[in-house]
Amino acid sequence: MRHLRHLALEIGPRGSTTPQERQASAYARATFTAAGLETHEEPFRAPVSGWRPFALASAIGLASVALALAGGRAGALIAGVAMTIATVSVFLEMYFRPNALRALVPKGDSQNVWARVPAAGPAARRVLLVGHVDTHRTPWLFTSPARLTAFRAITTAGVVGFVLGALLLLATGLLGLDGLRPWTAALLPVYLVVLAATLQPDLTGYTQGANDNASGAGVVLSLAERLALEPLQRTEVWALASGCEEVGSYGAQAFADRHRAQAPDLVAISVDNVGGRGAGVCYTSLEGMVFPVRPSAELFALAESIRAERPDLDAYPLPYTTLHTDATALMVRGIPSLSFVGLTRGGAIPDWHTLGDVFEKVDPGTVERTEAFVMELLQRLDAAATA
């Protein structure tokens, strides 16, 4: 809670690539260094917005339909190619891959800060603990449960609309099926709604981010301090305070790309949103907005055994498919991972991406139980490595 308080109150809102995010990274580095740990800071470039690629795809959809309606068969073919590129880019963006839309978004400077916590003896395995320090904007669609439900419906309609638009426009241009033109026009409202929903967030301020994610970053910093004093026997821990999670987990991507080859046995634990009132200790059983990404079978099985044996920790698994976590990006890159995301049993994250995500609403008990659960998970991993 000491770390959480500093990040949320003394630094405050920490938007991706902003000076305040850099202050949070500097605080993490000072914490690791004070604990006597080998500490590293690694800069990277990242988009300033996670919403902009989807806004661009919607704008391309609107322009493509207009071109198809006005430009004959040749116009429909050009529109179909443009829409196909945009649609493929949307899927690539959701699964953390380079794409044409990402290249059009302005970039800024960010950084990862991480510390190596050595094992007491020869290391038999490595575990990455990650908690991001940046905070999100405050989209209108996140300000109530009903609006968040509408956001999920809009994202689903958008994905379907992009795919369907690309297919209809290509069919019209390649096959000359003019009867399909009215159907392409019917997609205009979908693109307009998605455009409005993805432009509006970038006009808002940043949340204080006490729960998302001063809570998770605080747990990672605290565990690094504890493990520096009482290291695991055969397990080396890499504690990462990542940047730019809120715009597409660019910090996690950069870390994986840089270090994956050094540790082919690496597994990861992401800690995110673990202090919301009404939430227990929740770990994800499934992630991915469209195509499912499953957590590490080993980590999930160990978490299930802890849940069964420690009912006092109030733990449970749930799927999380509304957006992503740093673990989602790591799993896509082949690093077996498990996320702790403080969903209530009804599947909601309290005060998520709203101005209500403030220090006063954090539940210290949930934060402490999450830290205890993750520590138990690390100890059981270590016991398996020692056996």
Side-chain angles (χ1 to χ4, degrees):
M1 292 299 294
R2 170 171 52 91
H3 299 310
L4 196 160
R5 176 186 291 273
H6 184 93
L7 292 168
L9 292 181
E10 296 189 34
I11 298 177
R14 306 172 298 284
S16 307
T17 76
T18 65
Q20 291 75 25
E21 185 197 51
R22 287 191 285 279
Q23 290 179 38
S25 297
Y27 175 76
R29 181 168 188 169
T31 300
F32 291 146
T33 301
L37 298 172
E38 174 193 326
T39 305
H40 308 267
E41 181 172 327
E42 297 171 349
F44 60 90
R45 298 276 290 173
V48 299
S49 169
W51 296 92
R52 205 76 55 84
F54 305 99
L56 288 169
S58 304
I60 291 170
L62 291 170
S64 296
V65 172
L67 179 60
L69 294 176
R73 185 172 176 177
L77 181 57
I78 295 170
V81 171
M83 197 64 211
T84 299
I85 293 171
T87 300
V88 171
S89 294
V90 163
F91 282 95
L92 290 172
E93 182 66 24
M94 287 192 292
Y95 286 86
F96 316 102
R97 298 300 184 191
N99 59 81
L101 295 175
R102 180 184 295 186
L104 300 176
V105 179
K107 308 298 190 298
D109 294 320
S110 186
Q111 55 285 312
N112 286 324
V113 172
W114 69 283
R116 190 189 308 271
V117 188
R125 72 182 313 166
R126 294 177 179 87
V127 179
L128 174 66
L129 281 181
V130 56
H132 70 89
V133 299
D134 57 317
T135 65
H136 204 76
R137 293 187 181 273
T138 52
W140 180 80
L141 283 169
F142 283 67
T143 54
S144 75
R147 291 171 186 169
L148 189 55
T149 299
F151 167 74
R152 295 188 181 100
I154 289 169
T155 56
T156 301
V159 170
V160 173
F162 292 148
V163 173
L164 190 57
L167 293 174
L168 289 172
L169 290 168
L170 284 175
T172 303
L174 288 172
L175 305 176
L177 300 177
D178 287 342
L180 296 178
R181 291 179 191 274
W183 292 101
T184 63
L187 294 172
L188 286 172
V190 174
Y191 300 150
L192 281 170
V193 170
V194 174
L195 180 63
T198 52
L199 282 179
Q200 189 272 338
D202 283 340
L203 303 177
T204 67
Y206 294 102
T207 174
Q208 185 188 99
N211 186 33
D212 184 14
N213 184 39
S215 64
V219 166
V220 170
L221 295 175
S222 179
L223 285 171
E225 291 174 319
R226 291 175 61 182
L227 292 166
L229 297 173
E230 301 176 7
L232 301 173
Q233 292 303 306
R234 298 290 305 279
T235 303
E236 183 175 275
V237 175
W238 294 356
L240 169 62
S242 64
C244 284
E245 187 272 350
E246 297 290 5
V247 294
S249 285
Y250 280 86
Q253 293 182 60
F255 189 88
D257 292 344
R258 182 163 185 164
H259 296 285
R260 183 72 180 94
Q262 300 173 15
D265 60 338
L266 188 68
V267 299
I269 299 169
S270 170
V271 191
D272 199 346
N273 279 284
V274 294
R277 295 188 183 275
V281 178
C282 178
Y283 47 96
T284 61
S285 57
L286 185 74
E287 299 189 29
M289 294 179 66
V290 179
F291 305 110
V293 181
R294 298 194 179 278
S296 159
E298 178 189 22
L299 292 174
F300 188 82
L302 287 173
E304 287 284 82
S305 67
I306 297 170
R307 176 175 70 91
E309 296 168 23
R310 295 286 308 275
D312 57 301
L313 295 177
D314 186 27
Y316 46 86
L318 285 175
Y320 175 66
T321 58
T322 303
L323 286 178
H324 68 273
T325 70
D326 275 344
T328 319
L330 295 172
M331 286 186 278
V332 167
R333 276 170 162 69
I335 298 176
S337 306
L338 180 67
S339 291
F340 286 82
V341 179
L343 298 163
T344 66
R345 291 185 183 273
I349 298 176
D351 303 303
W352 190 35
H353 295 173
T354 71
L355 293 175
D357 183 7
V358 295
F359 180 80
E360 292 74 17
K361 290 189 177 182
V362 170
D363 180 5
T366 302
V367 178
E368 298 299 335
R369 286 194 302 275
T370 302
E371 181 174 335
F373 194 104
V374 175
M375 188 66 177
E376 179 76 17
L377 181 58
L378 290 170
Q379 290 169 337
R380 295 196 183 199
L381 274 172
D382 188 50
T386 306

